[in-house]
């Protein structure tokens, strides 16, 4: 084994520069080694602060084998992909499926799991809690018995205007020119051309001549008469009326802002949140978030329930959320770009640029971002997507969104498995193209850390990704308890996949949402060299790697007796 070390002292002011590279020759091959790659020792000298930085490159790993027990707990789909395609063939964009009547059985869920589903989303607008509980139990059973690693997300209903029912189990077609009554009256069964509205004040402030729009344009009606608190409407754009479809009103081409204010989290939402806590879900997506305080309120509540491990995602789907976007992103653990409802509140032509801006801000603030709604809408009824839908999915992947989400395509669609396979295929192809065409450019990252150890961790991860791309390593291994450095690595969207080794199951499920990360649950000791030898041996034994694979190793596992800075490190190793 050849070991080369560079040690230098670097002056620290407000930030650490990692752009200086030194070139070394290893067995006749020129490689770049960052001069600022810790082991880090911090010392004070008068008014200046110095960091002693040691970078180590190791070629031909030949340490003595260690005796290991157990396995790495690879998700079976990742394991299969890795064996077939190697490190660089692993898909990095995560896939989320909404679970509904079309895919709720154990067999259906297993097909989605085999198809690459990373996160299962349960929309609390639909079905009973008993139904949701059965789905959660089946997913946990698949994880435990079949070797999958699927995270669980619930999506709150939110306080909004929507159709309670139209009297039949599925969709109803509203024909052009047909007259419908939208009423707050509660009744059982069905009435011809009658729809129950959820919110009693839904017609307040509405005038004859206004447009009533269903689900952002699935069908459109003109208000022709106000009958007490009800509205009689004429269908002007025919389409399908689905149970619990959302209602909005437009006047002279602009959204009618209602005079009443609805709370972000309704009484039902809080009951659903308690249900999610009791079921041990991993994410709660909050609908119609208007400001950061909505997210902080839920996080505070989770802390009182000792459920801080549940991550809170904010759904961006209103004008108000766009006005407070950066504050909401900072307060949340991730963002869902809910384009369907957002498209009701802003002009359609603004959706692409708004989506790109949200993704950019999320990367700057190191928060995972999901692109959702109508990705493959035509596949609810047809076995192949439109070419425009494929282009839309491709653009989301090109923008480096962390995850793509199926809604009705999987929940009620006839071809959920095929829709998922389209997302997987397009993600793989675009990621490969990006690497081949060298389109990956490191983002000029906003500094997030406040303390010196936090800033050092950021700089390590920024440099590690640049180093991994320049050296053309096969994978990045990160050893982390809380997932912080794994997340910082993902933020930079490296070419090689990131394998995150952690001893916390909640960290595994959280990292399951983030771009390019393969989380693995292993027992970690305070001896990092032992952790590295153990996991390398397990990876080799499982046949996941081959001789000659080059791995960049990063760690933030900190012994209780040590400082944060001392044990943050980078190493490059070749598997032999």
């Amino acid at each position: 084994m050849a070991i080369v070390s560079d040690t230098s002292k670097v002056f620290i002011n407000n930030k650490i520069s990692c752009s200086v590279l030194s070139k070394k020759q290893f067995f006749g091959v020129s490689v770049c080694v960052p001069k600022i790659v810790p082991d880090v020792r911090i010392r004070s000298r008068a008014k200046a602060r110095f960091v002693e930085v040691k970078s180590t490159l190791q070629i031909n790993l030949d340490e003595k084998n260690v005796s290991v027990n157990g396995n790495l707990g690879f998700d079976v789909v990742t394991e299969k992909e890795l064996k077939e395609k190697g490190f660089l063939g692993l898909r990095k964009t995560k896939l989320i499926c909404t679970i509904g009547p079309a895919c709720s059985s154990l067999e259906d869920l297993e097909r989605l799991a085999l198809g690459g589903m990373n996160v299962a989303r349960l929309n609390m607008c639909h079905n009973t809690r008993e139904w949701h509980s059965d789905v959660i139990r089946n997913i946990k059973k698949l994880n435990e018995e079949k070797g999958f690693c699927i995270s669980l997300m619930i999506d709150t209903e939110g306080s909004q205007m929507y159709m309670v029912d139209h009297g039949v189990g599925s969709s109803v077609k509203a024909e052009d020119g047909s007259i419908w009554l939208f009423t707050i009256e509660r009744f059982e069964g069905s009435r011809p051309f009658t729809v129950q509205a959820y919110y009693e004040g839904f017609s307040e402030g509405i005038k004859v001549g206004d447009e009533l729009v269903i689900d952002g344009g699935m069908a459109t009606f003109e208000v022709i008469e106000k009958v007490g608190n009800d509205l009689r409407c004429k269908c002007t754009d025919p389409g399908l009326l689905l149970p619990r479809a959302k209602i909005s009103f437009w006047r002279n081409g602009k959204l009618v802002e209602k005079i009443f204010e609805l709370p972000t989290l309704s009484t039902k939402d809080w009951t659903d949140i308690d249900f999610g806590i009791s079921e041990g879900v991993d994410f709660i997506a909050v609908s119609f978030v208007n400001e950061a305080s909505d997210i902080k309120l839920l996080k505070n509540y989770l802390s009182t329930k000792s459920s801080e491990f549940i991550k809170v995602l904010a759904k961006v789907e209103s004008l108000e959320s766009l006005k407070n976007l950066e504050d909401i992103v900072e307060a949340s653990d991730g963002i869902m770009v809910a384009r369907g409802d957002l498209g009701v509140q802003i002009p359609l032509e603004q959706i692409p640029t708004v989506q790109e801006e949200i993704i950019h801000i999320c990367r700057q603030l190191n928060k995972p971002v999901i692109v959702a709604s109508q990705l493959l809408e035509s596949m609810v009824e047809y076995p192949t997507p439109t070419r425009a839908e494929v282009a839309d999915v491709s653009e989301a992947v090109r923008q480096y969104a962390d995850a793509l989400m199926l809604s009705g395509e999987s929940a009620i669609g006839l071809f959920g498995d095929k829709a998922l396979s389209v997302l997987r295929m397009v993600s793989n192809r675009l990621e490969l193209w990006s690497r081949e065409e060298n389109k990956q450019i490191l983002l000029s990252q906003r500094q997030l850390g406040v303390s010196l150890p936090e800033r050092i961790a950021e700089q390590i991860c920024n440099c590690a990704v640049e180093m991994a791309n320049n050296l053309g390593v096969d994978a990045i291994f990160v050893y982390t308890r809380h997932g912080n450095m794994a997340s910082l690595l993902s933020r930079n969207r490296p070419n090689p996949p990131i394998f995150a080794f952690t001893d916390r199951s909640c960290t595994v499920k959280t990292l399951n949402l983030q771009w390019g990360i393969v989380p693995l649950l292993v027992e970690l000791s305070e001896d990092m060299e032992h952790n590295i030898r153990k996991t390398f041996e397990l990876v080799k034994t499982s046949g996941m790697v081959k001789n000659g694979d080059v791995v960049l190793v990063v760690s933030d596992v900190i012994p209780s007796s040590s400082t944060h800075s001392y044990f943050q490190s980078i190493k490059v190793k070749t598997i032999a």
Side-chain angles (χ1 to χ4, degrees), residues 74 78 81-82 85-94 431 435 464-465 468-469 472-478 486 489-490 493-501 514-519 544-545 550-554:
F74 267 102
T78 302
E81 278 189 2
L82 187 54
K85 303 177 182 179
F87 283 127
L88 296 183
L90 288 177
R91 169 178 47 84
K92 297 182 176 70
T93 307
K94 301 304 177 74
E431 290 164 7
R435 188 164 60 247
V465 169
N469 290 347
V473 304
D474 296 289
I476 299 173
F477 283 12
V478 56
L489 289 166
S490 171
R493 302 303 194 252
N495 287 334
I498 304 162
F499 291 83
F501 301 96
Q514 296 198 251
W515 189 97
I517 297 179
V518 179
M544 298 295 106
V545 299
V550 180
V551 176
L552 185 144
V553 178
V554 183

Side-chain angles (χ1 to χ4, degrees), residues 194-353:
T194 304
V195 174
Q196 295 182 43
Y198 166 72
Y199 186 72
E200 290 190 0
F202 90 107
S203 63
E204 291 179 11
I206 301 305
K207 302 177 181 179
V208 171
D210 289 346
E211 284 188 319
L212 186 155
V213 179
I214 303 295
D215 260 355
M218 292 296 290
T220 304
F221 297 81
E222 179 187 351
V223 178
I224 59 175
E225 183 183 4
K226 294 191 72 171
V227 185
N229 292 323
D230 300 339
L231 299 175
R232 195 176 304 280
C233 304
K234 177 182 178 181
C235 181
T236 54
D237 283 326
L240 294 178
L241 307 183
L242 300 173
R244 292 182 176 267
K246 299 181 181 77
I247 298 172
S248 60
F249 293 96
W250 290 72
R251 181 179 302 148
N252 299 324
K254 294 183 179 180
L255 184 73
V256 177
E257 296 190 22
K258 302 294 289 180
I259 60 174
F260 53 83
E261 292 187 1
L262 300 173
T264 296
L265 291 168
S266 66
T267 302
K268 177 182 181 299
D269 289 336
W270 286 110
T271 306
D272 289 338
I273 288 166
D274 285 335
F275 167 79
I277 293 171
S278 66
E279 293 286 346
V281 301
D282 306 295
F283 302 98
I284 296 175
V286 182
S287 296
F288 295 97
V289 174
N290 291 322
E291 51 191 25
S293 59
D294 298 332
I295 298 298
K296 294 174 182 176
L297 176 65
L298 177 53
K299 283 192 166 186
N300 289 336
Y301 181 76
L302 292 174
S303 67
T304 66
K305 299 289 185 177
S306 300
S307 301
E308 299 95 328
F309 62 86
I310 298 178
K311 301 302 180 183
V312 179
L313 310 179
K315 295 176 67 177
V316 176
E317 50 191 339
S318 68
L319 278 173
E320 207 60 36
S321 64
L322 292 179
K323 294 174 185 176
N324 302 309
L325 181 60
E326 191 159 321
D327 289 341
I328 291 171
V329 175
E330 285 184 331
S332 70
D333 298 310
I335 293 293
M336 183 187 296
V337 188
R339 303 181 305 175
D341 288 301
L342 190 58
V344 174
Q345 304 229 343
I346 65 175
L348 293 176
E349 67 272 15
Q350 293 183 14
I351 292 293
T353 52

Side-chain angles (χ1 to χ4, degrees), residues 559-571:
S560 56
S561 59
S562 302
T563 64
H564 278 267
S565 55
Y566 185 80
F567 280 85
Q568 294 167 335
S569 61
I570 299 177
K571 294 184 179 181

Side-chain angles (χ1 to χ4, degrees), residues 274-452:
D274 285 335
F275 167 79
I277 293 171
S278 66
E279 293 286 346
V281 301
D282 306 295
F283 302 98
I284 296 175
V286 182
S287 296
F288 295 97
V289 174
N290 291 322
E291 51 191 25
S293 59
D294 298 332
I295 298 298
K296 294 174 182 176
L297 176 65
L298 177 53
K299 283 192 166 186
N300 289 336
Y301 181 76
L302 292 174
S303 67
T304 66
K305 299 289 185 177
S306 300
S307 301
E308 299 95 328
F309 62 86
I310 298 178
K311 301 302 180 183
V312 179
L313 310 179
K315 295 176 67 177
V316 176
E317 50 191 339
S318 68
L319 278 173
E320 207 60 36
S321 64
L322 292 179
K323 294 174 185 176
N324 302 309
L325 181 60
E326 191 159 321
D327 289 341
I328 291 171
V329 175
E330 285 184 331
S332 70
D333 298 310
I335 293 293
M336 183 187 296
V337 188
R339 303 181 305 175
D341 288 301
L342 190 58
V344 174
Q345 304 229 343
I346 65 175
L348 293 176
E349 67 272 15
Q350 293 183 14
I351 292 293
T353 52
V354 167
Q355 172 182 308
E356 189 167 16
E357 179 64 18
I358 294 171
I359 292 173
H360 178 79
I361 290 174
C362 286
R363 282 192 63 192
Q364 286 282 357
L365 297 176
N366 195 29
K367 301 297 174 73
V369 56
I370 303 162
V371 174
S373 305
Q374 301 174 341
L375 286 171
L376 300 171
E377 187 74 14
S378 68
M379 294 192 74
V380 171
E381 298 185 60
Y382 300 102
T384 57
T386 67
R387 278 40 177 178
E389 288 170 337
V390 172
D392 177 44
V393 172
S394 299
E395 181 62 12
V397 176
R398 188 195 64 79
Q399 292 171 359
Y400 292 102
D402 288 86
L404 306 174
M405 191 179 91
L406 296 176
S407 299
E409 302 96 326
S410 57
I412 60 172
L414 301 175
F415 306 100
D417 296 353
K418 290 185 176 181
L420 183 60
S421 71
V422 170
L423 292 189
R424 185 175 178 178
M425 176 183 63
V426 174
S427 298
N428 276 327
R429 183 66 193 94
L430 262 291
E431 290 164 7
L432 177 63
W433 173 84
S434 177
R435 188 164 60 247
E436 289 176 345
E437 299 296 319
N438 198 26
K439 297 296 183 182
Q440 169 63 25
I441 300 174
L442 287 176
L443 187 67
S444 178
Q445 299 287 14
R446 182 186 308 191
Q447 180 179 294
L448 300 177
V450 177
S451 67
L452 183 60

Side-chain angles (χ1 to χ4, degrees), residues 20-37:
V20 182
L21 298 176
S22 64
K23 289 200 171 183
K24 297 289 182 182
Q25 291 284 332
F26 299 96
F27 302 103
V29 179
S30 179
V31 297
C32 292
V33 184
K35 285 186 177 178
I36 303 181
V37 184

Side-chain angles (χ1 to χ4, degrees), residues 48-96:
R49 304 186 73 186
F50 291 85
V51 176
E52 183 178 308
V53 184
K54 183 176 181 181
S55 65
T56 304
L57 184 71
Q58 296 182 299
I59 303 295
N60 293 335
L61 181 66
D62 60 1
E63 290 95 327
K64 293 180 180 179
N65 289 341
V66 293
S67 174
V68 294
N69 296 312
N71 58 70
L72 284 172
F74 267 102
D75 173 84
V76 292
V77 176
T78 302
E79 182 176 351
K80 184 174 183 290
E81 278 189 2
L82 187 54
K83 287 181 176 178
E84 292 177 352
K85 303 177 182 179
F87 283 127
L88 296 183
L90 288 177
R91 169 178 47 84
K92 297 182 176 70
T93 307
K94 301 304 177 74
L95 306 179
I96 303 171

Side-chain angles (χ1 to χ4, degrees), residues 13-14 16 21 105 134 136 157 181 202 210 254 264 305 354 359 365 369 470-471 484 488 526 559:
N13 187 6
N14 292 324
I16 304 171
L21 298 176
S105 71
D134 287 342
I136 291 172
E157 183 175 292
L181 179 68
F202 90 107
D210 289 346
K254 294 183 179 180
T264 296
K305 299 289 185 177
V354 167
I359 292 173
L365 297 176
V369 56
N470 288 343
L471 292 175
N484 297 333
L488 288 168
E526 295 190 350

